[in-house]
Amino acid sequence: DPYAQDPPRHPALKVNSMKPFNAEPPAEMLTEAYITPNAFFFKRNHLPVPRLDPASYRLEVGGRMGSPSLFLSLEELKTHFPRHEVMATLQCAGNRRSEMNAVKPVKGLDWGIAAIGNAKWAGAQLRDVLVAAGYKEGEAGALHVQFEGLDRDLAGTGYGASIPYHIAMSSDHDVLLVYEMNGEELPLDHGFPLRVIVPGVVGARNVKWLGRILVSTEESQSHWQQNDYKGFSPSVDWDTVDFSVSPAIQELPVQSAITDPQPGTLVAGEDGKITVKGYAWSGGGREVVRVDVSLDGGSTWHVANLTGEKQTPGRAWAWKLWTLTTPLPAERTELEILCKAVDSSYNVQPDTVAPIWNLRGVLSNAWHRVCVSVMK
Ligand code: MTE
Ligand code: MO
């Protein structure tokens, strides 16, 4: 069993698949703290978790124009490069896929709303490591930075992805080679001993168990860069899909969801009031500037209170948690609670799923809807 070496996991996680391990926390846990505890942070593995010896581990950084590669030990990454910290939210492209699946079946893990989490990551800046390997900004032919994971399938194929070179080389994008998550050693499930964190960019490019970095003219040729993690029109099906026509997902669109109350529950209401909670985030460093909440299916709206750390404009990598406490609408026994977020580019979420449905069930960011009954 190639999964025999997988680490133990918290029993509260909701398991989507055991082998490979894919799980999300109960949604209400996400809004209990601004920083998602490591044990409850969603885990998305395509392959068995590799067991890597931190003492003999070496990161290979491909050399410039055929010059020899740089090999860096974990110790060198920690001591030869300044330690940077970044608070960043990581979201899987398949977060909220189950809502797409409910409209029309899609292929993929049936994620709820919790394939997302917020953590404080620490490590060396990718830019510093690339500079040490001889690269500079605006390098001719340098268009992409590829990351190869050390997790492999039985045929020996490893996980891989790439990001644009200019993002990797810009210190404003805060791309880190991470060895610490929330002040702890990077956990096995999250890429020990080293992963890349690309703030504002889809989870799939944040390669774990990082073995090799390559600068290239081409994007990564991996399955997950070329033939997966792309968006399509609702009209495209598995007979007609051509993966070469859509760009690989990088920055994610604006997102929000309701974590409390849970769908189908009975809401008591304290002093005739209801409290609704959730998260909101947008890709590309765009800050969430507002969250609107409706208790009546979208006829009237309330503005939620946002909480979260102050972030540099254009570098808002972390989510906002939000709360709304408001009087329960009189004479209603059923509530249809909705939320929608607005980011700093005034991007808004689409109101329904059907027009953004796609065969892989990615980029599911329609208004989140939760129906509850009111206790009388
Ligand atoms: N990196 C490797 N090496 N192998 C993987 O399976 N999964 C990717 C990404 N990096 C993956 C990987 C996907 S699709 C996501 S959403 C994130 O890791 C999940 O990161 P997490 O498990 O730390 O939450
Ligand atoms: Mo993902």
Side-chain angles (χ1 to χ4, degrees), residues 44 92-93 204 229:
R44 205 289 175 239
C92 180
Y229 296 112

Side-chain angles (χ1 to χ4, degrees), residues 135-280:
Y135 295 97
K136 30 182 209 335
E137 266 161 76
E139 192 86 48
L143 296 179
H144 302 278
V145 177
Q146 303 185 19
F147 306 111
E148 295 176 3
L150 293 166
D151 47 338
R152 299 186 184 286
D153 63 18
L154 291 174
T157 308
Y159 188 84
S162 62
I163 60 168
Y165 182 78
H166 72 93
I167 288 181
M169 277 303 271
S170 150
S171 33
D172 281 353
H173 279 84
D174 299 298
V175 183
L176 300 189
L177 300 177
V178 161
Y179 42 73
E180 238 179 75
M181 179 177 183
N182 292 331
E184 294 165 26
E185 184 169 78
L186 187 64
L188 283 165
D189 265 322
H190 297 288
F192 178 82
L194 195 76
R195 80 175 302 173
V196 61
I197 283 292
V198 192
V201 162
V202 66
R205 314 298 167 218
N206 292 246
V207 175
K208 306 191 273 189
W209 312 291
L210 192 59
R212 192 150 73 128
I213 299 176
L214 286 177
V215 175
S216 58
T217 309
E218 301 286 307
E219 280 188 279
S220 163
Q221 292 304 302
S222 93
H223 167 81
W224 297 279
Q225 187 85 14
Q226 299 293 332
N227 296 318
D228 201 358
Y229 296 112
K230 293 184 172 188
F232 292 95
S233 161
S235 63
V236 173
D237 61 26
W238 288 102
D239 294 327
T240 58
V241 66
D242 174 2
F243 274 92
S244 71
V245 300
S246 291
I249 300 169
Q250 294 282 348
E251 291 179 358
L252 285 170
V254 59
Q255 177 68 290
S256 70
I258 300 157
T259 57
D260 192 12
Q262 298 277 305
T265 53
L266 194 60
V267 172
E270 263 174 60
D271 309 329
K273 287 185 175 162
I274 181 175
T275 295
V276 185
K277 291 184 193 177
Y279 65 76

Side-chain angles (χ1 to χ4, degrees), residues 55-98:
S56 60
Y57 171 83
R58 295 289 179 277
L59 171 71
E60 178 178 356
V61 187
R64 185 172 164 257
M65 310 255 254
S67 58
S69 293
L70 191 64
F71 289 89
L72 296 166
S73 69
L74 197 57
E75 202 47 36
E76 286 169 326
L77 282 158
K78 289 181 179 176
T79 56
H80 294 190
F81 299 92
R83 180 179 180 278
H84 286 261
E85 276 188 1
V86 68
M87 180 85 77
T89 295
L90 190 68
Q91 182 183 216
C92 180
N95 190 32
R96 302 184 58 197
R97 179 180 282 128
S98 56

Side-chain angles (χ1 to χ4, degrees), residues 104-158:
K104 195 170 106 181
V106 297
K107 237 182 235 179
L109 294 164
D110 209 33
W111 293 111
I113 65 166
I116 186 168
N118 188 49
K120 190 184 268 185
W121 313 91
Q125 208 163 59
L126 175 58
R127 181 199 152 80
D128 294 342
V129 170
L130 289 173
V131 167
Y135 295 97
K136 30 182 209 335
E137 266 161 76
E139 192 86 48
L143 296 179
H144 302 278
V145 177
Q146 303 185 19
F147 306 111
E148 295 176 3
L150 293 166
D151 47 338
R152 299 186 184 286
D153 63 18
L154 291 174
T157 308

